Amino acid sequence: MKKVQAIIRAWLACRRLLAQVRKHAKRTRVVYEIFDVEKSYTTSMCSCILNIMNPIKEKNMLSSADIASIFCNLQEINDMHMALYDNMTTIMSSWDVKSTISDIFLSYIGDFKEN
């Protein structure tokens, strides 16, 4: 009887471990997806600034008011996302079971609160 109990306990322990491994794998996939999307977003944003906004400004193709209207806060948004991406890169370089990205996002809450 003790042998059967030991086998059942071992089987249950394996199930719990497998559930934890699956949970961690899913969590890791989600975090890497967020990271990849942020990388793509910052790349696109930089491209827009370098290839569209800056040439328009340099060649005085539009008035300052039109540029401000079209590209409203684009540089500030880009700067924030670049900092976010840099912080995520640091965490992703040493990602493990105990790593989190929530602190990064929480550090930006103040930037979105209304005065």
Side-chain angles (χ1 to χ4, degrees), residues 18-30:
L18 183 59
Q20 288 176 345
V21 168
R22 286 181 180 153
K23 183 179 177 181
H24 176 65
K26 183 177 182 179
R27 181 175 169 266
T28 300
R29 283 193 308 273
V30 168

Side-chain angles (χ1 to χ4, degrees), residues 61-72:
M61 297 170 77
L62 297 172
S63 70
S64 296
D66 288 340
I67 290 173
S69 176
I70 295 169
F71 299 106
C72 182

Side-chain angles (χ1 to χ4, degrees), residues 75-90:
Q75 188 63 53
E76 292 83 5
I77 293 168
N78 183 58
D79 293 344
M80 187 187 73
H81 279 279
M82 288 299 294
L84 176 66
Y85 177 71
D86 290 342
N87 290 332
M88 288 187 74
T89 300
T90 302

Side-chain angles (χ1 to χ4, degrees), residues 4-113:
V4 171
Q5 288 176 338
I7 291 171
I8 291 173
R9 274 194 226 108
W11 180 75
L12 289 172
C14 285
R15 279 187 60 186
R16 282 191 298 270
L17 179 62
L18 183 59
Q20 288 176 345
V21 168
R22 286 181 180 153
K23 183 179 177 181
H24 176 65
K26 183 177 182 179
R27 181 175 169 266
T28 300
R29 283 193 308 273
V30 168
V31 169
Y32 273 95
E33 180 66 20
I34 292 169
F35 179 72
D36 287 342
V37 167
E38 193 62 31
K39 180 180 179 180
S40 175
Y41 184 76
T42 54
T43 301
S44 297
M45 187 80 74
C46 286
S47 178
C48 181
I49 290 170
L50 293 174
N51 298 319
I52 299 171
M53 187 178 82
N54 287 347
I56 289 173
K57 280 182 177 180
E58 290 168 4
K59 295 177 182 175
N60 294 320
M61 297 170 77
L62 297 172
S63 70
S64 296
D66 288 340
I67 290 173
S69 176
I70 295 169
F71 299 106
C72 182
N73 299 327
L74 188 63
Q75 188 63 53
E76 292 83 5
I77 293 168
N78 183 58
D79 293 344
M80 187 187 73
H81 279 279
M82 288 299 294
L84 176 66
Y85 177 71
D86 290 342
N87 290 332
M88 288 187 74
T89 300
T90 302
I91 287 179
M92 299 304 287
S93 66
S94 60
W95 184 258
D96 66 6
V97 178
K98 296 178 183 178
S99 299
T100 64
I101 61 170
S102 59
D103 293 340
I104 295 172
F105 290 98
L106 290 174
S107 70
Y108 289 96
I109 285 179
D111 297 337
F112 297 105
K113 288 187 177 179

